[in-house]
Amino acid sequence: MTTPLLIDTDPGVDDALAILMAFAEPAVEIVGLTVAAGNVGLEHTVRNALRLVETVDRDVPVHPGCPAPILPPPASAAFVHGEDGFGDAGLPEPARRASTVHAVDAILDASRRHAGDLTLVCLGPLTNLAVALLIDPTLPSRVPRLVVMGGAVDGRGNTERIKAEFNIGFDPEAADVVFRRWPRFELVDWEATLAHGIPFERLEGWLAAPTPAARLMRAIAEKRHAWVRAHRSATHSHLADALAMAVVLEPALVAEAADRHVSVALVGEHTRGMTVVDWAGRTGLAANAWIARRIDQAGFERRIEGALIGR
Ligand code: RIB
Ligand code: CA
């Protein structure tokens, strides 16, 4: 029995690895990629999602979503992922075409088609999911599992608004809608990502594998690795979406977690887009997030290795 999995994504290099990890797992059936603007613009993220389903030669629909955050201006992570989101590696245009079904409609359709069974993972800004929730507030009742890559639970963000993590900071209003309307979701944040870096030496060994997945990742990751080495870590790659996908595929990898109420700051020069965790339970608000704090590193790395070398 396979689990239907819908992936909302803004590919992006780490999104690509996460999606390849999901395709490498036989226990899940990927029912679609719903695409958001985020790391780079929607035209690029849709094209990259098409490249991914071509790489693995799977007949999975790619649904273009919202082209911008609820409130402008859109941020960009092109300085990390390349102007095209895939390392400006000069990849050929994908032959496949995107679906004519909008991502928001695809999320609602999948929730009805797989009611009670669907796992939804969000690897980018939450714009598509927020709009789906506004259209149909009953959506969470049909989706037993939502995993969100986003936030920085102790305020160590990764954007110029230093307490904000990119996905939440790109569209704080969307995250606010999701965090207020989704009764309980799993959260894999930026600080967990920082705690689970992958040594470059090990990662580059896997990227040398003669597989389509490794070839694609080798091509698109080069620019990002150079940036990370120069600006973040000379030794480790921090792959947020891959970590979130490891939790999706193998929940038992979570070694330490905390149930807490998490909200999103919408205002403040230094705080807009920040995730605010009620660690001491002072608000009296029920926990809405199961926050993954520590993940089994060896199991996480096994998932990446398996996706790249085809084990
Ligand atoms: O902060 C990390 C997140 O922002 C990841 O999803 C990465 O792809 C970027 O979208
Ligand atoms: Ca992403």
Side-chain angles (χ1 to χ4, degrees):
M1 161 85 169
T2 56
T3 300
L5 174 65
L6 183 64
I7 304 172
D8 195 68
T9 178
D10 63 331
V13 174
D14 60 327
D15 300 71
L17 180 56
I19 292 165
L20 292 170
M21 288 163 67
F23 276 120
E25 174 50 64
V28 299
E29 176 208 356
I30 299 169
V31 298
L33 301 183
T34 51
V35 187
N39 282 313
V40 289
L42 186 67
E43 182 189 342
H44 290 302
T45 54
V46 169
R47 184 181 296 116
N48 293 338
L50 290 167
R51 285 170 168 149
L52 283 162
V53 296
E54 277 189 357
T55 297
V56 294
D57 191 22
R58 300 283 280 276
D59 188 15
V60 170
V62 170
H63 300 279
C66 299
I70 291 171
L71 292 183
S76 168
F79 64 96
V80 180
H81 296 267
E83 292 306 317
D84 70 355
F86 264 15
D88 299 324
L91 298 177
E93 284 296 310
R96 299 191 190 192
R97 290 286 163 263
S99 165
T100 55
V101 175
H102 190 280
V104 173
D105 294 322
I107 290 170
L108 296 173
D109 294 348
S111 76
R112 295 183 195 105
R113 198 165 51 250
H114 303 283
D117 296 326
L118 185 67
T119 293
L120 172 59
V121 56
C122 294
L123 304 176
L126 294 171
T127 317
N128 292 330
L129 184 55
V131 174
L133 272 168
L134 292 175
I135 291 171
D136 181 354
T138 69
L139 173 61
S141 66
R142 299 188 297 276
V143 183
R145 210 177 162 214
L146 168 65
V147 180
V148 172
M149 189 284 130
V153 293
D154 287 326
R156 189 176 171 191
N158 60 2
T159 68
E160 74 290 346
R161 208 174 283 131
I162 53 176
K163 290 189 172 299
E165 174 277 331
F166 182 84
N167 288 339
I168 307 301
F170 183 93
D171 195 340
E173 280 69 25
D176 186 48
V177 166
V178 173
F179 284 24
R180 288 177 185 276
R181 289 175 179 250
W182 206 285
R184 195 174 185 288
F185 54 92
E186 298 164 58
L187 187 66
V188 179
D189 81 321
W190 180 245
E191 288 164 48
T193 304
L194 289 176
H196 295 88
I198 307 293
F200 274 118
E201 192 177 338
R202 197 168 302 159
L203 182 57
E204 280 158 6
W206 300 330
L207 290 175
T211 63
R215 262 194 305 277
L216 175 73
M217 287 306 304
R218 202 161 52 238
I220 69 174
E222 191 175 335
K223 185 165 196 170
R224 180 180 181 278
H225 284 180
W227 184 89
V228 170
R229 280 194 162 102
H231 297 88
R232 186 180 294 150
S233 166
T235 58
H236 288 70
S237 183
H238 297 94
L239 298 158
D241 295 337
L243 186 66
M245 187 59 78
V247 172
V248 169
L249 300 174
E250 197 172 345
L253 289 179
V254 178
E256 180 193 333
D259 258 328
R260 292 292 188 281
H261 185 272
V262 185
S263 53
V264 180
L266 299 179
V267 294
E269 182 187 354
H270 300 294
T271 51
R272 174 169 164 76
M274 174 180 177
T275 42
V276 182
V277 180
D278 180 6
W279 289 113
R282 279 202 282 274
T283 65
L285 294 172
N288 56 350
W290 185 76
I291 303 167
R293 302 288 276 166
R294 287 286 171 266
I295 287 120
D296 175 282
Q297 182 76 17
F300 172 36
E301 292 188 13
R302 258 196 315 276
R303 287 273 168 188
I304 295 175
E305 182 183 21
L308 292 175
I309 71 173
R311 181 173 290 157

